[in-house]
């Protein structure tokens, strides 16, 4: 009986290797990339045509719907804070002592001149919950064996209706991604690297974003430190915390 069970397991493993289940792959990606909560410090390097600007921040995030970011440097951005609650975003500017809600078409605007939009910054959804997936090929990328997966949005209000990702077969993290509009036009490219094992999960600590419709060399997002499953005060996720 044990022999039969072993043979069945081996057969299933071989079948998965030959015809991988795209939904199962997405579930494993989400297990690595998503968390109940996290706290991280980061640097965003915005490469313009002439100069590179570096913006440092600290972010507190709970699930998919709550996040609070405080910008630490340079002096021009220091003290700026952002609060995301569900699909709403508020920004506090210390220079004007005003809190502004970013909504509608404003969410598509560039975040501090970077290649990320406010929508990109807010997107923390699990891929398996908003996309149907299909494995469309295999390729060696960055010396790693990858599946190429096509994602088609289930919902109409998703920022990118189609995505194409190169997934590391061994670590189940995306290494490269192409983001498309509903029309099929390529909008952005990302590359993910410096993959590290952090608290039992594989996690990219460097992401390069490139808006293909924008001039410049792209934007690097580098995580300096990250901790998962932390105790985070609920007070942070209130508008009162923006002015504190």
């Amino acid at each position: 009986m044990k022999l039969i069970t072993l043979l069945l397991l081996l057969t299933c493993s071989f079948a998965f290797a030959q015809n991988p289940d795209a939904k199962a792959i997405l579930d494993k990606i989400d297990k690595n990339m998503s968390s109940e909560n996290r706290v991280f410090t980061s640097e965003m390097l915005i490469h313009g045509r002439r100069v590179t600007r570096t913006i440092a921040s600290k972010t507190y995030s709970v699930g998919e719907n709550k996040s609070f970011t405080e910008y630490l440097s340079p002096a021009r951005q220091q003290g700026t804070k952002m609060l995301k609650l569900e699909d709403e975003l508020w920004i506090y500017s210390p220079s004007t002592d005003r809190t502004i809600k970013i909504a509608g078409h404003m969410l598509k605007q560039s975040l501090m001149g970077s290649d990320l939009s406010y929508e990109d910054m807010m997107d923390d959804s699990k891929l398996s919950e908003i996309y149907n997936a299909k494995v469309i090929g295999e390729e060696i990328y960055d010396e790693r064996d990858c599946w190429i997966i096509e994602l088609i949005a289930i919902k109409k209000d998703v920022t990118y209706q189609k995505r194409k990702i190169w997934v590391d077969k061994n670590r189940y993290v995306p290494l490269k991604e192409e983001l498309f509009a509903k029309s099929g036009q390529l909008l952005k490219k990302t590359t993910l690297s410096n993959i590290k094992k952090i608290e039992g999960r594989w996690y990219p600590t460097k992401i390069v974003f490139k808006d293909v419709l924008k001039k410049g060399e792209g934007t690097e997002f580098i995580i300096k430190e990250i901790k998962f499953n932390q105790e985070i005060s609920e007070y942070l996720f209130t508008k009162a915390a923006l002015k504190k």
Side-chain angles (χ1 to χ4, degrees):
M1 189 62 134
K2 289 183 179 179
L3 179 60
I4 293 173
T5 302
L6 179 61
L7 288 171
L8 285 171
L9 287 171
L10 289 172
T11 300
C12 290
S13 297
F14 178 77
F16 182 83
Q18 296 301 309
N19 299 291
D21 183 336
K23 176 64 166 61
I25 294 171
L26 285 195
D27 286 339
K28 291 186 177 183
I29 293 172
D30 286 337
K31 190 175 181 181
N32 273 322
M33 303 293 287
S34 300
S35 60
E36 188 173 314
N37 68 57
R38 60 192 172 196
V39 179
F40 62 90
T41 54
S42 62
E43 288 184 347
M44 185 166 63
L45 281 66
I46 304 169
H47 300 293
R49 285 180 286 177
R50 296 181 181 177
V51 298
T52 293
R53 294 184 294 121
T54 301
I55 300 174
S57 63
K58 185 169 186 177
T59 297
Y60 304 80
S61 176
V62 173
E64 303 171 21
N65 298 316
K66 296 180 182 179
S67 70
F68 178 92
T69 298
E70 180 174 3
Y71 288 88
L72 309 176
S73 66
R76 184 178 178 183
Q77 272 80 33
Q78 187 176 17
T80 299
K81 298 172 185 175
M82 293 187 186
L83 172 66
K84 169 196 169 184
L85 294 175
E86 301 288 341
D87 58 351
E88 297 185 315
L89 179 68
W90 288 270
I91 297 178
Y92 168 73
S93 171
S95 62
T96 60
D97 194 30
R98 292 180 59 203
T99 299
I100 300 172
K101 183 177 180 180
I102 305 296
H105 71 279
M106 292 175 66
L107 290 168
K108 297 185 181 298
Q109 294 179 359
S110 168
L111 171 65
M112 296 185 176
S114 73
D115 288 63
L116 288 81
S117 67
Y118 290 104
E119 283 181 322
D120 292 330
M121 189 273 294
M122 291 177 67
D123 184 15
D124 203 20
S125 303
K126 292 182 178 179
L127 293 175
S128 58
E129 294 179 353
I130 55 177
Y131 290 100
N132 285 324
K134 178 173 67 175
V135 178
I136 60 173
E138 299 179 22
E139 187 175 292
I140 301 296
Y141 176 76
D142 199 21
E143 300 182 351
R144 304 291 301 187
D145 201 6
C146 296
W147 284 301
I148 305 173
I149 300 180
E150 182 181 76
L151 306 179
I152 303 297
I154 301 169
K155 304 173 183 178
K156 292 182 179 180
D157 59 349
V158 174
T159 306
Y160 304 107
Q161 288 292 311
K162 176 183 171 183
R163 299 166 80 148
K164 189 176 175 183
I165 58 176
W166 282 251
V167 182
D168 187 322
K169 287 186 180 182
N170 294 316
R171 299 178 294 188
Y172 290 95
V173 289
L175 300 181
K176 176 183 173 182
E177 186 168 17
E178 295 178 349
L179 309 171
F180 299 85
K182 188 175 182 180
S183 65
Q185 181 180 21
L186 177 63
L187 299 176
K188 292 182 182 177
K189 295 181 179 180
T190 65
T191 58
L192 300 89
S193 58
N194 290 3
I195 314 297
K196 297 179 181 179
K197 193 110 183 233
I198 303 172
E199 298 180 25
R201 68 176 76 211
W202 291 108
Y203 203 86
T205 59
K206 178 180 178 180
I207 306 174
V208 178
F209 296 84
K210 181 66 185 84
D211 185 335
V212 301
L213 306 178
K214 182 178 178 180
K215 294 181 179 180
E217 298 300 318
T219 297
E220 295 179 58
F221 189 84
I222 300 171
I223 293 176
K224 309 298 287 186
E225 182 183 20
I226 185 167
K227 293 181 180 180
F228 298 98
N229 304 317
Q230 301 294 295
E231 290 188 13
I232 302 174
S233 170
E234 275 297 315
Y235 175 76
L236 274 182
F237 307 110
T238 64
K239 284 186 274 187
L242 290 169
K243 290 192 175 186
K244 185 177 178 182

